[in-house]
Amino acid sequence: MGMGALAREEDRVGVAAPTCLAAVGRGLKDGIALDSFLLASQTQSLREKMEHIDSIITDSKKSPLLSEQSSGDKPSVSINHVDKESSSNNISSKDSDKESCRKQKEIDDMHGSIKPLVFGREEVRQDICNMLRAPSSIINKNYSVIGIHGISGSGKTTLARHVCDYEKKEGKHFSLIKFIQMSKTFSVHDIFREITGQDRKDLRSLHKELTENLQGRRFLLVLDDLWVDGNQKERDILLDALNAGDSGSRILVTSQKEDAAAALGAQKQISIPDMKDEDYLSLFMHHALHDAVDDDGKFGRIGRKIAEKLHRSPIAAVTVGKRLQKNKTINFWETTANLDVLNETMATRC
């Protein structure tokens, strides 16, 4: 199979295509605005269209549609309003927030362990695995860094998980494999705690434990959705500890821009590849039909027409597909395929 995307969302993807995102994020209600956008987008390259998705996603984070399904995005926990005049209520609220965070993390960890159905990722997965095994030219370091970059919803997280799943199954090259979903604020404390499984130790103790655990072990560490800012000291502390691993250890970074992996010293960078048409259609139809049977092929024909309007955006395939899955009638699919109400289709959940 060619290069494509994973069938879940995951990137836990849950956002729409450029047209749909415009409707969700900006509240467009009329088909005229949508058609105008599509007309303007016809002169853009696929890469430009996907970059446009990235800019719209930022404006549409508050959409219930996104908050329910977005994988590439980190789950949020609501914070209770606290009566500042009541210290007892304040303590109770903090305890409740901690418990909510703990439960959400448990759910995220369990959900992350579910193996997804893969569409057309074998070629790029094999390329990355070959890079992970290739000798490094870096002197005095037992690790090297590889970066995967692309816009939100383009499949970076699912690709990285696919690599990890393969390496765990293959089970010979790396003795330790760890996948960590990063927050937008880089924290060496959090990374150390994730790797060691220790929650209450101070930074120095965590550093010591990690370096001891990595001795003689070749590891693969995935830092998913990495953001960098002015935290060079923390990055230095992280890399110092990771250098305790055995020669041939690798750090795989996913990020929206190349500078994140470059900040960790990446020597190789991969831009997430566009999907092939048939792989994209398979991904879209998987979510649109799920386990339903398309005996006469009508859904398949209409689905292909809809998929062609989404410009091969993985995040759009999942969102629009899941919306269609809830109304598997020919009339609804045909109406959606006409595009003049595609924005309304996605806005019904908002």
Side-chain angles (χ1 to χ4, degrees):
M1 296 179 70
M3 293 180 288
L6 296 180
R8 69 166 160 167
E9 6 207 10
E10 191 149 272
D11 216 42
R12 300 175 186 97
V13 283
V15 203
T19 55
C20 305
L21 279 170
V24 174
R26 299 172 183 172
L28 295 179
K29 298 288 184 179
D30 58 287
I32 297 177
L34 178 62
D35 292 338
S36 297
F37 175 84
L38 288 173
L39 182 62
S41 71
Q42 289 176 356
T43 60
Q44 294 179 310
S45 67
L46 174 62
R47 180 60 57 188
E48 288 172 332
K49 291 170 184 173
M50 294 188 74
E51 288 174 352
H52 186 59
I53 297 175
D54 191 36
S55 65
I56 297 174
I57 287 175
T58 302
D59 297 332
S60 56
K61 292 293 185 182
K62 296 181 180 180
S63 166
L65 177 66
L66 301 187
S67 62
E68 177 182 341
Q69 298 181 23
S70 176
S71 119
D73 301 328
K74 305 300 177 290
S76 60
V77 179
S78 61
I79 300 176
N80 297 327
H81 293 290
V82 178
D83 183 358
K84 296 181 180 180
E85 298 179 358
S86 173
S87 59
S88 61
N89 286 347
N90 187 42
I91 294 173
S92 176
S93 177
K94 288 181 179 179
D95 290 342
S96 176
D97 292 342
K98 289 180 180 180
E99 179 64 14
S100 296
C101 289
R102 186 194 66 77
K103 289 181 178 180
Q104 185 62 57
K105 185 178 185 304
E106 186 177 27
I107 292 172
D108 294 338
D109 290 343
M110 291 187 67
H111 187 266
S113 66
I114 300 174
K115 290 188 178 181
L117 183 63
V118 177
F119 291 99
R121 277 299 189 194
E122 288 309 302
E123 290 182 14
V124 66
R125 193 274 306 158
Q126 186 60 58
D127 289 343
I128 294 175
C129 288
N130 290 340
M131 292 181 187
L132 295 176
R133 287 165 170 73
S136 174
S137 59
I138 301 178
I139 301 175
N140 298 327
K141 289 184 179 179
N142 292 330
Y143 66 85
S144 62
V145 182
I146 297 173
I148 304 173
H149 61 89
I151 66 170
S152 297
S154 56
K156 304 180 297 296
T157 296
T158 50
L159 174 57
R161 286 194 181 277
H162 187 34
V163 169
C164 283
D165 289 342
Y166 175 84
E167 292 296 343
K168 288 177 181 178
K169 182 178 180 180
E170 190 270 344
K172 297 179 181 179
H173 193 72
F174 298 104
S175 59
L176 174 65
I177 299 175
K178 192 70 177 178
F179 186 103
I180 300 178
Q181 281 194 325
M182 304 292 291
S183 65
K184 284 196 174 183
T185 301
F186 185 96
S187 170
V188 68
H189 292 78
D190 291 345
I191 297 174
F192 282 175
R193 288 166 182 154
E194 285 282 344
I195 299 176
T196 62
Q198 301 291 337
D199 292 331
R200 302 183 181 278
K201 292 187 175 181
D202 60 81
L203 182 59
R204 190 175 298 277
S205 298
L206 289 169
H207 183 281
K208 182 175 183 294
E209 179 170 342
L210 179 57
T211 54
E212 291 175 351
N213 289 342
L214 292 180
Q215 292 287 341
R217 305 179 73 181
R218 182 192 295 141
F219 65 82
L220 169 61
L221 173 64
V222 178
L223 301 179
D224 179 51
D225 198 17
L226 178 66
W227 295 77
V228 296
D229 45 36
N231 43 34
Q232 182 64 52
K233 291 182 179 180
E234 292 194 57
R235 296 198 297 271
D236 290 343
I237 293 172
L238 170 64
L239 297 178
D240 177 67
L242 295 179
N243 200 39
D246 204 4
S247 178
S249 294
R250 296 291 182 263
I251 303 171
L252 184 62
V253 174
T254 74
S255 59
Q256 293 190 28
K257 297 182 179 180
E258 294 181 62
D259 60 353
L264 295 183
Q267 302 237 322
K268 295 180 179 179
Q269 297 263 17
I270 304 167
S271 176
I272 193 77
D274 296 329
M275 298 177 66
K276 293 182 178 179
D277 288 337
E278 289 305 310
D279 292 328
Y280 185 76
L281 179 62
S282 296
L283 171 67
F284 172 74
M285 293 303 296
H286 169 79
H287 288 284
L289 280 181
H290 197 47
D291 296 326
V293 178
D294 184 20
D295 290 328
D296 56 9
K298 287 184 178 180
F299 285 106
R301 290 190 292 274
I302 303 172
R304 180 179 292 275
K305 182 179 178 181
I306 297 172
E308 289 174 351
K309 309 293 184 180
L310 303 181
H311 310 300
R312 291 185 289 175
S313 165
I315 207 168
V318 176
T319 300
V320 178
K322 286 184 179 296
R323 180 64 183 90
L324 292 170
Q325 184 188 130
K326 296 183 177 182
N327 192 340
K328 289 194 281 285
T329 64
I330 293 296
N331 287 341
F332 182 75
W333 281 45
E334 287 179 338
T335 301
T336 302
N338 290 331
L339 280 181
D340 57 342
V341 293
L342 186 54
N343 58 334
E344 181 180 348
T345 299
M346 301 312 301
T348 56
R349 296 281 302 279
C350 300

